[in-house]
Amino acid sequence: MTLEKPRYLERCPGFDSDMMEPNRTITIVQKRQEEFLTDKQVVDYYEHRKKFLAHLLRMGKDPEKAEGYSPYTVDGTADRTARFDFWRWKNRGGYSLPPTQEDASAYMEEVAFWDVTEATKGKQMEALLRYSTWLQRKFNRDQWEFDWTFQSGGGNTGPRDFLTKEERQKIRQAALKKDGNPTYGVDEEDLPGGGRRDSWKYTSLVWVSLDAGLRPVEVGRAKTSWCDTDNGVLRIPREESSKNKGNWTVGLTDRTATALSRWLDERAEHPRYDGTDKLWLTRRGNRYGSNELRRIIQDLCDRADIPHEDRQMSWYTIRHSVGTYMTKERDLAAAKAQLRHRNAKTTMKYDQVPVEDRRDALDNMG
């Protein structure tokens, strides 16, 4: 098949070739991608990729200063993101644009167990994060987040920062105080209880996440049909699971089940939720994403006096705390089931000793 448009960025119409190094070209559409796609898909993908790679060269490093990455860096990023796109077309239902958080998470879960150096894994994650940043600017998508942390220059790998037991307790209490009246622009007299100020929305959202370790995409995808508060569980069907690999039954504490039950009762009378089975909606009536949830967890940390400026404080911090302490209190099998991992190797990263236990060990060692 012959690509009607130039395959290399140096020869793109309207592209400033002075930004390129002598004798260097950056591949927009790889040969194996051409062979896999139809003619029309190739043209569509070419336009998508051209905008992405040109953005990296012009302003990808610092948009405010219009500072781009070097052609060498963009060349590597182009290759790694093309590899990712090709993988998802082959493994996740064929050609589609743009990629999603679920696509990126599934891919990095495979990358985590490649027989390559940590630096190679880190560079692959860096490339996806650059891809995500551009998608966020162009399509208003949430920034991608991953279970894994890699150092692109080498080093150890492991889970991101997690909440300690004391911090988890503080976050629970802070969530109780955060709940106000989520009017969403609805007149207060039309709300249940005449506009009461003790909504269970945030308490249920945070507490369920503290128990179930919900990923951001799962918070946004959660439905009322998942909730079995009588038995204290979430029942996530295969077709609605973020990994789409099987049905999941996730345990909840009694206090969380009570909070969730109260929210379900309140939600049933709230006009904003008419005609939708989404469990939680933002103030604008949209489903939650990683950006909104990051703001919630950081606000809760501020309320609870938990420092977070020098920490990777995102919604995944809650998830990692569930994995760490479930492994400590029970075992890896329990953590695997609670976190809904399809691969036991993914759960093994939580087989570590929390810092407070290591501190006690040092005290005992003298």
Side-chain angles (χ1 to χ4, degrees):
M1 178 178 65
T2 301
L3 181 65
E4 296 179 358
K5 296 178 179 289
R7 183 183 292 118
Y8 300 107
L9 195 59
E10 180 194 31
R11 298 197 293 269
C12 275
F15 180 74
D16 185 2
S17 60
D18 290 340
M19 301 175 68
M20 298 294 293
E21 298 172 354
N23 302 319
R24 177 182 289 279
T25 58
I26 297 175
T27 303
I28 298 179
V29 181
Q30 295 182 343
K31 186 66 176 177
R32 62 175 178 171
Q33 293 177 313
E34 285 188 53
E35 295 171 348
F36 183 83
L37 301 174
T38 67
D39 290 358
K40 292 170 67 176
Q41 289 171 341
V42 168
V43 172
D44 182 52
Y45 184 57
Y46 166 88
E47 295 296 340
H48 171 82
R49 288 275 289 178
K50 181 181 69 174
K51 292 181 175 65
F52 167 50
L53 299 176
H55 168 79
L56 291 180
L57 280 167
R58 290 182 176 125
M59 60 182 62
K61 191 172 185 178
D62 189 338
E64 294 183 0
K65 298 180 180 179
E67 180 182 355
Y69 291 106
S70 70
Y72 175 83
T73 298
V74 176
D75 189 24
T77 300
D79 178 68
R80 295 180 184 98
T81 52
R83 191 180 309 164
F84 160 62
D85 282 332
F86 188 67
W87 175 90
R88 65 188 183 85
W89 299 338
K90 293 184 66 176
N91 293 277
R92 295 179 66 82
Y95 178 76
S96 65
L97 288 174
T100 66
Q101 168 76 73
E102 295 96 317
D103 294 331
S105 295
Y107 182 65
M108 283 309 303
E109 188 168 327
E110 290 208 2
V111 170
F113 300 107
W114 284 358
D115 187 16
V116 296
T117 66
E118 298 302 324
T120 298
K121 298 174 185 178
K123 288 183 182 298
Q124 183 65 60
M125 180 173 284
E126 276 185 346
L128 292 193
L129 290 174
R130 290 174 188 143
Y131 203 173
S132 173
T133 298
W134 178 71
L135 293 172
Q136 183 181 34
R137 291 175 60 87
K138 184 171 178 60
F139 298 102
N140 196 30
R141 296 297 182 92
D142 288 331
Q143 182 73 40
W144 293 342
E145 296 177 335
F146 300 102
D147 281 344
W148 294 94
T149 300
F150 300 106
Q151 300 296 326
S152 60
N156 294 327
T157 178
R160 289 185 172 186
D161 212 339
F162 59 88
L163 300 171
T164 66
K165 281 186 176 181
E166 181 181 2
E167 289 171 342
R168 284 173 55 85
Q169 293 168 0
K170 288 182 176 180
I171 292 295
R172 281 192 186 274
Q173 294 304 310
L176 278 173
K177 298 177 181 179
K178 181 176 175 63
D179 282 313
N181 178 14
T183 60
Y184 309 107
V186 178
D187 291 337
E188 289 197 2
E189 57 267 24
D190 294 331
L191 292 173
R196 64 192 182 194
R197 308 299 299 179
D198 59 348
S199 169
W200 286 89
K201 175 193 165 185
Y202 286 113
T203 301
S204 64
L205 189 158
V206 175
W207 285 15
V208 169
S209 296
L210 282 167
D211 286 3
L214 294 181
R215 302 175 177 90
V217 67
E218 292 173 325
V219 175
R221 189 178 290 173
K223 297 181 178 181
T224 55
S225 58
W226 292 12
C227 305
D228 181 353
T229 55
D230 290 340
N231 292 297
V233 296
L234 292 182
R235 302 187 189 277
I236 307 176
R238 178 182 184 275
E239 59 272 15
E240 296 170 8
S241 168
S242 66
K243 300 299 183 181
N244 198 32
K245 288 293 180 181
N247 300 322
W248 295 101
T249 301
V250 184
L252 302 175
T253 61
D254 289 343
R255 65 192 304 203
T256 296
T258 298
L260 182 57
S261 178
R262 295 293 184 92
W263 166 241
L264 288 171
D265 291 342
E266 177 188 343
R267 179 194 173 285
E269 301 179 41
H270 201 302
R272 174 61 72 182
Y273 289 87
D274 290 346
T276 179
D277 59 356
K278 294 297 183 186
L279 186 53
W280 300 290
L281 294 173
T282 69
R283 292 183 180 277
R284 295 184 178 182
N286 301 319
R287 71 176 191 172
Y288 278 95
S290 58
N291 288 339
E292 293 88 356
L293 294 171
R294 183 186 297 107
R295 286 192 285 270
I296 290 176
I297 187 63
Q298 291 180 355
D299 175 65
L300 292 172
C301 285
D302 291 338
R303 292 168 180 262
D305 293 325
I306 298 174
H308 60 84
E309 291 78 9
D310 298 322
R311 300 171 66 179
Q312 296 176 329
M313 190 61 69
S314 70
W315 206 250
Y316 272 99
T317 313
I318 295 176
R319 180 171 173 80
H320 296 323
S321 73
V322 175
T324 299
Y325 288 105
M326 181 64 74
T327 301
K328 177 179 180 292
E329 298 296 331
R330 292 294 301 273
D331 52 31
L332 284 170
K336 179 177 181 294
Q338 189 71 1
L339 294 179
R340 304 164 302 287
H341 286 154
R342 64 178 180 178
N343 192 324
K345 291 182 179 179
T346 305
T347 318
M348 289 179 65
K349 65 185 176 181
Y350 295 111
D351 192 11
Q352 60 177 338
V353 181
V355 65
E356 60 266 32
D357 288 11
R358 285 180 269 141
R359 191 181 299 116
D360 291 342
L362 290 172
D363 289 337
N364 295 334
M365 289 164 60

